[in-house]
Structure formats: C-alpha cells, structure tokens
Amino acid sequence: AQADPCCMGSAAMDALQVLEGFMEDERAGRDFLLRLARRLHHPQTARALRQMAEKKTVHIRQLAAAYYLTAGACCARTIQVPAPEAGSTCCEALRSAYHDAACLGLNYLRAADGTEDLCLQHMFEKMGKESFQQADQLLGLLSLLVQ
C-alpha cells in the first residue's frame, strides 16, 4: 500500500473543511425538502421532494466517505446547520429550494476547479451536475404551481 495514494491523499487534505461544509449544506437541504414534503397535500410533489432528499442523503454519505479516505478518520464535526424556513407558501419554499440547489451546484463546480485531487474533482463535478438537475426538477415543480 502506498503511504500517500494518488487520490484522496495528502493533495486532498486542504479540502477537509470543504467536505465538512458540503455535508452541512446537504443536511440542511435534505431537512428542508423533507419538511416541505410533509407540508404538501399533493402526493406526487411530496414524493418527488422525498426522492430529492434521499439523493442528498447519498451525497452526505459519499462526502463522509471521501473525508474518511482523506483524513483516515470519521468527520468529528457534528454541527447541524438549521434548514432554512419553509416560507409561508409552497411557491416561496420551492423558490428557496431552487436557489439553494443551484448555488450548491455552482459551489461544487468551483470546488472541483479548486482542487488538485482528481478523485475529489470528479466527485465534486458529479455532485454539481446532480445539484443542477435537482434545481431543474424544482423549477418544474414550481412551474406547476404558478401560472
């Protein structure tokens, strides 16, 4: 075994705080989507939001695994970032969720550009793409409510 592997080794050590931040963002987004899904009376929309929340759970797990691969230890940080308020209307909440997903996608792509670790770069690019896909889904749900 190599002491300093080519992926998620010493080149990725400077990304540990970035990984922690993304885990917190994904947790807050997941909690927001689940709260919003509980408020909705439209079963298909609520199901779509729960599926989006599950994708965020997958991201959290992948980020935690990347943290472990890099640091050799589990992320000790357990600070929970409170999820944003759901807003007074479903349209406001979907608008907020859309902006959160789009901004997270942009931040993932920025992080991909900023790392020298090829494995982290690939993971961040993939998660950025998925965040933008989620923003597109939220836009679609919002378009059903506003006319």
Side-chain angles (χ1 to χ4, degrees):
Q2 210 174 353
D4 189 23
C6 62
C7 277
M8 296 191 204
S10 61
M13 290 299 285
D14 59 346
L16 290 177
Q17 287 183 327
V18 173
L19 290 167
E20 289 173 347
F22 282 140
M23 282 187 274
E24 291 171 359
D25 289 344
E26 292 284 7
R27 279 188 197 109
R30 178 195 59 200
D31 295 348
F32 179 84
L33 291 171
L34 290 173
R35 278 202 335 256
L36 180 57
R38 286 191 294 270
R39 282 182 46 192
L40 294 177
H41 300 292
H42 193 268
Q44 291 172 325
T45 304
R47 185 174 31 254
L49 292 172
R50 285 191 299 274
Q51 288 171 344
M52 286 182 222
E54 180 55 33
K55 287 180 183 177
K56 289 190 166 295
T57 299
V58 170
H59 282 186
I60 294 164
R61 290 178 181 149
Q62 290 172 341
L63 291 162
Y67 187 98
Y68 183 84
L69 286 170
T70 302
C74 293
C75 181
R77 194 168 177 183
T78 58
I79 297 171
Q80 288 283 338
V81 176
E85 290 303 314
S88 60
T89 69
C90 287
C91 288
E92 288 173 357
L94 287 172
R95 179 177 186 259
S96 177
Y98 168 85
H99 286 295
D100 289 344
C103 289
L104 186 58
L106 180 61
N107 288 334
Y108 274 127
L109 295 182
R110 286 179 180 158
D113 285 342
T115 186
E116 294 180 24
D117 186 279
L118 293 178
C119 295
L120 279 181
Q121 183 180 44
H122 175 73
M123 185 178 77
F124 289 156
E125 287 171 350
K126 181 178 178 253
M127 289 182 178
K129 181 180 176 184
E130 290 171 355
S131 292
F132 280 119
Q133 288 171 343
Q134 191 171 85
D136 288 343
Q137 287 179 292
L138 290 161
L139 178 63
L141 293 175
L142 183 59
S143 70
L144 297 174
L145 298 176
V146 296
Q147 291 185 17

Coordinates of all heavy atoms in Angstrom, one line a residue, residues 100-147:
D100 N -31.2 27.3 -3.5 CA -30.2 26.5 -2.7 C -29.5 25.5 -3.6 O -28.3 25.3 -3.5 CB -30.9 25.9 -1.5 CG -31.3 26.9 -0.4 OD1 -30.8 28.0 -0.5 OD2 -32.1 26.5 0.4
A101 N -30.3 24.7 -4.4 CA -29.8 23.7 -5.2 C -28.9 24.2 -6.3 O -27.8 23.7 -6.5 CB -30.9 22.9 -5.9
A102 N -29.3 25.3 -6.9 CA -28.4 25.9 -8.0 C -27.1 26.5 -7.4 O -26.1 26.3 -8.0 CB -29.2 27.0 -8.7
C103 N -27.2 27.1 -6.2 CA -26.0 27.7 -5.6 C -25.1 26.5 -5.2 O -23.8 26.6 -5.3 CB -26.3 28.6 -4.4 SG -27.1 30.1 -4.9
L104 N -25.6 25.5 -4.6 CA -24.8 24.3 -4.2 C -24.1 23.7 -5.5 O -23.0 23.4 -5.4 CB -25.7 23.3 -3.5 CG -24.9 22.1 -2.9 CD1 -23.9 22.5 -1.9 CD2 -25.9 21.1 -2.2
G105 N -24.9 23.6 -6.6 CA -24.3 23.1 -7.8 C -23.1 23.9 -8.2 O -22.0 23.4 -8.6
L106 N -23.3 25.2 -8.2 CA -22.2 26.1 -8.6 C -21.0 26.0 -7.6 O -19.8 26.0 -8.0 CB -22.7 27.6 -8.6 CG -21.6 28.7 -8.9 CD1 -21.1 28.5 -10.3 CD2 -22.3 30.0 -8.8
N107 N -21.3 25.9 -6.3 CA -20.2 25.7 -5.3 C -19.4 24.4 -5.5 O -18.2 24.3 -5.4 CB -20.7 25.8 -3.9 CG -21.1 27.2 -3.6 OD1 -20.6 28.2 -4.2 ND2 -22.0 27.4 -2.7
Y108 N -20.1 23.3 -5.9 CA -19.5 22.1 -6.2 C -18.5 22.2 -7.4 O -17.4 21.7 -7.4 CB -20.5 20.9 -6.5 CG -21.0 20.2 -5.3 CD1 -22.3 20.1 -5.0 CD2 -20.1 19.6 -4.3 CE1 -22.8 19.4 -3.9 CE2 -20.6 18.9 -3.2 CZ -22.0 18.8 -3.0 OH -22.4 18.1 -1.9
L109 N -19.0 22.9 -8.4 CA -18.2 23.1 -9.6 C -16.9 24.0 -9.3 O -15.8 23.7 -9.8 CB -19.0 23.7 -10.8 CG -20.1 22.7 -11.3 CD1 -20.8 23.4 -12.5 CD2 -19.5 21.4 -11.7
R110 N -17.1 25.0 -8.5 CA -16.0 25.8 -8.0 C -15.0 25.0 -7.2 O -13.8 25.1 -7.4 CB -16.5 27.0 -7.2 CG -17.2 28.1 -8.0 CD -17.6 29.2 -7.1 NE -18.3 30.2 -7.8 CZ -19.1 31.1 -7.3 NH1 -19.4 31.0 -6.0 NH2 -19.7 32.0 -8.0
A111 N -15.5 24.1 -6.4 CA -14.6 23.3 -5.6 C -13.8 22.3 -6.5 O -12.7 22.0 -6.3 CB -15.4 22.5 -4.5
A112 N -14.5 21.8 -7.5 CA -13.9 20.9 -8.5 C -12.7 21.6 -9.2 O -11.6 21.0 -9.4 CB -14.9 20.4 -9.5
D113 N -12.9 22.9 -9.5 CA -11.9 23.6 -10.2 C -10.7 24.0 -9.2 O -9.6 24.2 -9.7 CB -12.5 25.0 -10.8 CG -13.3 24.7 -12.0 OD1 -13.1 23.7 -12.7 OD2 -14.1 25.7 -12.4
G114 N -11.0 24.0 -7.9 CA -10.0 24.5 -7.0 C -9.2 23.3 -6.3 O -8.3 23.6 -5.6
T115 N -9.5 22.1 -6.7 CA -8.7 21.0 -6.0 C -7.8 20.4 -7.0 O -8.1 20.4 -8.2 CB -9.7 19.9 -5.5 OG1 -8.9 19.0 -4.8 CG2 -10.5 19.2 -6.5
E116 N -6.7 19.9 -6.5 CA -5.7 19.3 -7.4 C -5.9 17.7 -7.3 O -5.3 17.0 -8.1 CB -4.3 19.6 -6.9 CG -3.9 21.1 -7.1 CD -2.5 21.4 -6.7 OE1 -1.7 20.5 -6.6 OE2 -2.3 22.6 -6.4
D117 N -6.8 17.3 -6.4 CA -7.0 15.9 -6.3 C -8.0 15.5 -7.3 O -9.2 15.9 -7.4 CB -7.6 15.6 -4.9 CG -7.7 14.1 -4.6 OD1 -8.8 13.5 -5.1 OD2 -6.8 13.5 -4.0
L118 N -7.7 14.6 -8.2 CA -8.5 14.2 -9.4 C -9.8 13.4 -8.9 O -10.8 13.6 -9.5 CB -7.7 13.3 -10.4 CG -6.6 14.1 -11.1 CD1 -5.9 13.1 -12.0 CD2 -7.2 15.3 -11.9
C119 N -9.7 12.6 -7.9 CA -10.9 11.9 -7.4 C -11.9 12.9 -6.8 O -13.1 12.8 -7.0 CB -10.5 10.8 -6.4 SG -9.5 9.5 -7.2
L120 N -11.4 13.8 -6.0 CA -12.3 14.8 -5.4 C -12.9 15.7 -6.6 O -14.1 16.0 -6.5 CB -11.6 15.7 -4.4 CG -11.4 15.2 -3.0 CD1 -10.7 16.2 -2.2 CD2 -12.8 14.8 -2.4
Q121 N -12.1 16.0 -7.5 CA -12.6 16.8 -8.6 C -13.7 16.1 -9.4 O -14.8 16.7 -9.6 CB -11.4 17.1 -9.6 CG -11.8 18.0 -10.8 CD -10.6 18.2 -11.7 OE1 -9.9 17.3 -12.0 NE2 -10.4 19.4 -12.1
H122 N -13.5 14.8 -9.6 CA -14.6 14.1 -10.3 C -15.9 14.0 -9.4 O -17.0 14.2 -9.9 CB -14.1 12.6 -10.6 CG -15.1 11.7 -11.1 ND1 -15.6 11.8 -12.4 CD2 -15.8 10.7 -10.6 CE1 -16.5 10.9 -12.6 NE2 -16.6 10.2 -11.5
M123 N -15.7 13.7 -8.1 CA -16.9 13.7 -7.2 C -17.6 15.0 -7.2 O -18.8 15.0 -7.3 CB -16.4 13.2 -5.8 CG -17.6 13.0 -4.9 SD -17.1 12.5 -3.3 CE -16.5 14.0 -2.6
F124 N -16.8 16.1 -7.0 CA -17.5 17.4 -7.0 C -18.2 17.8 -8.3 O -19.3 18.3 -8.3 CB -16.4 18.5 -6.7 CG -15.9 18.5 -5.2 CD1 -14.7 19.0 -5.0 CD2 -16.6 17.9 -4.2 CE1 -14.2 19.0 -3.7 CE2 -16.1 17.9 -2.9 CZ -14.9 18.5 -2.6
E125 N -17.6 17.4 -9.4 CA -18.3 17.7 -10.7 C -19.6 16.9 -10.8 O -20.6 17.4 -11.2 CB -17.3 17.3 -11.9 CG -16.2 18.3 -12.0 CD -15.1 17.8 -13.0 OE1 -15.2 16.6 -13.5 OE2 -14.3 18.7 -13.4
K126 N -19.5 15.6 -10.4 CA -20.7 14.8 -10.4 C -21.8 15.4 -9.5 O -23.0 15.5 -9.9 CB -20.4 13.4 -10.0 CG -21.5 12.4 -10.0 CD -21.0 11.0 -9.6 CE -22.2 10.0 -9.6 NZ -22.6 9.7 -8.3
M127 N -21.4 15.7 -8.3 CA -22.4 16.3 -7.4 C -23.0 17.6 -7.8 O -24.1 18.0 -7.6 CB -21.8 16.4 -6.0 CG -21.7 15.0 -5.3 SD -21.0 15.2 -3.7 CE -20.9 13.5 -3.2
G128 N -22.1 18.4 -8.5 CA -22.5 19.7 -9.0 C -23.6 19.5 -10.1 O -24.6 20.2 -10.1
K129 N -23.3 18.5 -11.0 CA -24.3 18.2 -12.0 C -25.6 17.8 -11.4 O -26.7 18.2 -11.9 CB -23.7 17.1 -13.0 CG -24.6 16.8 -14.1 CD -24.0 15.7 -14.9 CE -24.9 15.2 -16.0 NZ -24.4 14.1 -16.8
E130 N -25.5 16.9 -10.4 CA -26.8 16.4 -9.8 C -27.5 17.5 -9.1 O -28.8 17.5 -9.1 CB -26.4 15.3 -8.8 CG -26.0 14.0 -9.6 CD -25.4 12.9 -8.6 OE1 -25.3 13.1 -7.4 OE2 -25.1 11.8 -9.2
S131 N -26.8 18.5 -8.5 CA -27.5 19.6 -7.8 C -28.2 20.5 -8.9 O -29.3 20.9 -8.6 CB -26.4 20.4 -7.0 OG -26.0 19.7 -5.9
F132 N -27.6 20.7 -10.0 CA -28.2 21.4 -11.1 C -29.5 20.7 -11.6 O -30.5 21.3 -11.9 CB -27.3 21.8 -12.2 CG -26.4 23.0 -11.9 CD1 -25.0 22.8 -11.8 CD2 -27.0 24.2 -11.6 CE1 -24.2 23.9 -11.5 CE2 -26.2 25.3 -11.3 CZ -24.8 25.2 -11.3
Q133 N -29.4 19.3 -11.7 CA -30.5 18.6 -12.1 C -31.7 18.7 -11.1 O -32.8 18.8 -11.5 CB -30.1 17.1 -12.3 CG -29.3 16.8 -13.4 CD -28.7 15.4 -13.5 OE1 -28.7 14.7 -12.4 NE2 -28.2 14.9 -14.6
Q134 N -31.3 18.7 -9.8 CA -32.3 18.9 -8.8 C -33.0 20.3 -8.9 O -34.2 20.4 -8.7 CB -31.7 18.7 -7.4 CG -32.7 18.6 -6.3 CD -32.1 18.2 -5.0 OE1 -31.6 19.1 -4.3 NE2 -32.1 17.0 -4.7
A135 N -32.1 21.3 -9.2 CA -32.7 22.7 -9.4 C -33.7 22.6 -10.6 O -34.8 23.3 -10.5 CB -31.6 23.7 -9.7
D136 N -33.4 21.9 -11.6 CA -34.3 21.8 -12.8 C -35.6 21.1 -12.3 O -36.7 21.5 -12.8 CB -33.6 21.0 -13.9 CG -32.6 21.8 -14.6 OD1 -32.5 23.0 -14.5 OD2 -31.8 21.1 -15.3
Q137 N -35.5 20.1 -11.5 CA -36.7 19.4 -11.0 C -37.6 20.4 -10.2 O -38.8 20.4 -10.3 CB -36.3 18.2 -10.2 CG -35.8 17.0 -10.9 CD -35.5 15.9 -10.0 OE1 -34.5 16.0 -9.2 NE2 -36.2 14.8 -10.0
L138 N -36.9 21.1 -9.3 CA -37.6 22.1 -8.5 C -38.3 23.2 -9.4 O -39.4 23.6 -9.1 CB -36.7 22.7 -7.5 CG -36.3 21.8 -6.4 CD1 -35.0 22.3 -5.7 CD2 -37.4 21.5 -5.4
L139 N -37.6 23.6 -10.4 CA -38.2 24.5 -11.3 C -39.5 24.0 -12.0 O -40.5 24.6 -12.1 CB -37.2 24.9 -12.4 CG -37.7 25.9 -13.5 CD1 -38.1 27.2 -12.9 CD2 -36.6 26.1 -14.5
G140 N -39.4 22.7 -12.4 CA -40.5 22.0 -12.9 C -41.7 21.9 -11.9 O -42.9 22.2 -12.3
L141 N -41.4 21.6 -10.7 CA -42.5 21.6 -9.7 C -43.1 23.0 -9.5 O -44.3 23.1 -9.4 CB -42.0 21.1 -8.4 CG -41.5 19.6 -8.3 CD1 -40.9 19.3 -7.0 CD2 -42.7 18.7 -8.6
L142 N -42.2 24.0 -9.5 CA -42.7 25.4 -9.3 C -43.6 25.8 -10.5 O -44.6 26.5 -10.3 CB -41.5 26.3 -9.1 CG -41.9 27.8 -8.8 CD1 -42.7 27.9 -7.6 CD2 -40.6 28.6 -8.7
S143 N -43.2 25.4 -11.7 CA -44.0 25.8 -12.8 C -45.4 25.2 -12.8 O -46.3 25.8 -13.5 CB -43.2 25.4 -14.1 OG -43.3 23.9 -14.3
L144 N -45.6 24.1 -12.1 CA -46.9 23.6 -12.0 C -47.8 24.4 -11.0 O -49.0 24.4 -11.1 CB -46.9 22.1 -11.4 CG -46.2 21.1 -12.3 CD1 -46.0 19.8 -11.6 CD2 -46.9 21.0 -13.7
L145 N -47.2 25.2 -10.2 CA -47.9 25.9 -9.2 C -48.2 27.4 -9.5 O -49.2 28.0 -9.1 CB -47.2 25.9 -7.8 CG -47.1 24.5 -7.2 CD1 -46.2 24.6 -5.9 CD2 -48.4 23.8 -6.9
V146 N -47.3 27.9 -10.4 CA -47.5 29.3 -10.7 C -48.0 29.4 -12.2 O -47.5 28.7 -13.0 CB -46.2 30.2 -10.5 CG1 -45.8 30.2 -9.1 CG2 -45.1 29.6 -11.4
Q147 N -48.9 30.3 -12.4 CA -49.4 30.5 -13.8 C -50.1 31.8 -13.9 O -50.7 32.3 -13.0 CB -50.3 29.4 -14.2 CG -49.5 28.1 -14.4 CD -50.4 27.0 -15.0 OE1 -51.4 27.2 -15.5 NE2 -49.9 25.8 -14.8

